[in-house]
Amino acid sequence: MSTTQLITSRDNPLVQRLRKHAQDPSAYRKLGEVWLEGDHLCSACLARGVPVALAVIADTAWLGEHGMAAGHDELARKLSELARRADKVVVVPQALWKVFSGLESHAHLGFLLSRPEGDEAGSGIRSGLRSVVLDRVQDAGNVGSILRSASAMGFEQVVALKGTAALWSPKVLRAGMGAHFALHLVEQVVADDLAALAVPMVATSSHTDQLLPTAPLPDPCAWVMGHEGQGVAEAVMARCALKVAIPQPGGEESLNVAAAAAVCLYESLRRRQPA
């Protein structure tokens, strides 16, 4: 059964830590913990069997039907049930929640998790997995969307080179919609670390005659997605066994990196499906 604690001061160390998470996208690297905000992310975390040491919930949600306006009773019950699945529950006044919430519409529930072990630097890369490599993809929404596509298409690992948006930042978490918990994530790697993938790397390029629908895609492989403006760095592209172009008969110069990733990952999935 969960233990419960009430915190009312904005000077409380836990509240100050949560403020750092809201203010600094990479705070989890210094603090060694990840902050999930909102019932969807918390539910996704529990569905994947991730242990939760601490839940933080607003008093209005914790008190259920006695603390929320008419019409919100069911939501309050859902939030309090999710919170009780953590080892410890911290209850804060709703007014205090606004001090550290990163959301405009406050979700009133969050989980504080230990940062996954071995997710930083090349030593965390697992060999032989269907993977996605992010080369300085800087937009958090793009990164989260790519994680969602990777999970949906049966890829197992995402490796982020230095310069990529922080994988466990609040914005990437929200865009990922729970995909983080289905993937092995490694970040802050350099090009030389990619040899540890031990699968062929494939990149998109406009300077090739190999078109995606007919290119000889290896499986498993590691799809490389590059910087939104500069594309894949030369040092990374040099490691790729194959370069393919996505046909664009409509005449656009390029696709958004998240859209390109979805197209490429789906094509890999389609190839390995039985006829």
Side-chain angles (χ1 to χ4, degrees):
M1 175 176 287
S2 302
T3 60
T4 308
Q5 178 185 1
L6 175 65
I7 290 177
T8 59
S9 171
R10 66 171 55 211
D11 296 324
N12 182 277
L14 173 61
V15 173
Q16 293 302 308
R17 277 161 45 207
L18 295 179
R19 287 187 69 186
K20 289 179 181 177
H21 282 290
Q23 295 168 354
D24 180 1
S26 61
Y28 65 91
R29 293 176 181 161
K30 308 179 191 92
L31 299 174
E33 60 192 15
V34 173
W35 170 241
L36 307 181
E37 188 173 358
D39 58 299
H40 182 90
L41 281 176
C42 292
S43 296
C45 165
L46 291 170
R48 290 285 179 175
V50 178
V52 180
L54 179 65
V56 183
I57 188 169
D59 55 0
T60 48
W62 184 248
L63 293 171
E65 61 187 79
H66 302 294
M68 297 198 68
H72 293 274
D73 296 352
E74 189 60 36
L75 175 60
R77 279 192 289 271
K78 177 183 178 181
L79 295 178
S80 61
E81 287 172 4
L82 289 172
R84 285 185 171 90
R85 295 178 65 180
D87 295 335
K88 180 179 179 180
V89 179
V90 168
V91 182
V92 301
Q94 184 170 339
L96 185 59
W97 188 274
K98 298 175 183 178
V99 170
F100 57 79
S101 175
L103 302 179
E104 291 184 12
S105 56
H106 307 300
H108 301 126
L109 173 70
F111 285 168
L112 203 56
L113 311 177
S114 298
R115 185 182 176 188
E117 294 182 3
D119 70 342
E120 189 164 332
S123 60
I125 293 176
R126 295 177 182 172
S127 301
L129 300 185
R130 296 186 179 103
S131 303
V132 178
V133 175
L134 303 180
D135 178 19
R136 299 164 297 130
V137 180
Q138 297 183 332
D139 182 84
N142 283 337
V143 172
S145 181
I146 293 171
L147 264 59
R148 285 186 72 184
S149 294
S151 174
M153 303 303 163
F155 281 72
E156 302 153 293
Q157 176 173 244
V158 174
V159 176
L161 280 84
K162 290 183 178 181
T164 299
L167 296 188
W168 292 94
S169 67
K171 287 184 178 180
V172 174
L173 280 162
R174 289 196 292 273
M177 297 287 286
H180 287 69
F181 308 112
L183 298 163
H184 178 63
L185 304 177
V186 188
E187 58 181 348
Q188 296 290 87
V189 308
V190 297
D192 287 346
D193 295 327
L194 298 176
L197 289 166
V199 295
M201 292 168 55
V202 183
T204 58
S205 172
S206 57
H207 306 293
T208 178
D209 294 329
Q210 291 272 21
L211 296 180
L212 177 63
T214 55
L217 295 181
D219 183 58
C221 72
W223 277 102
V224 182
M225 299 296 150
H227 182 278
E228 288 89 345
Q230 302 168 10
V232 178
E234 290 184 10
V236 178
M237 188 69 84
R239 295 176 174 274
C240 293
L242 178 65
K243 303 169 189 175
V244 301
I246 300 174
Q248 296 174 62
E252 294 298 325
E253 181 180 348
S254 63
L255 292 175
N256 167 275
V257 65
V263 169
C264 295
L265 301 184
Y266 176 76
E267 181 63 17
S268 279
L269 171 65
R270 188 187 68 81
R271 299 282 187 97
R272 63 178 184 265
Q273 296 297 305

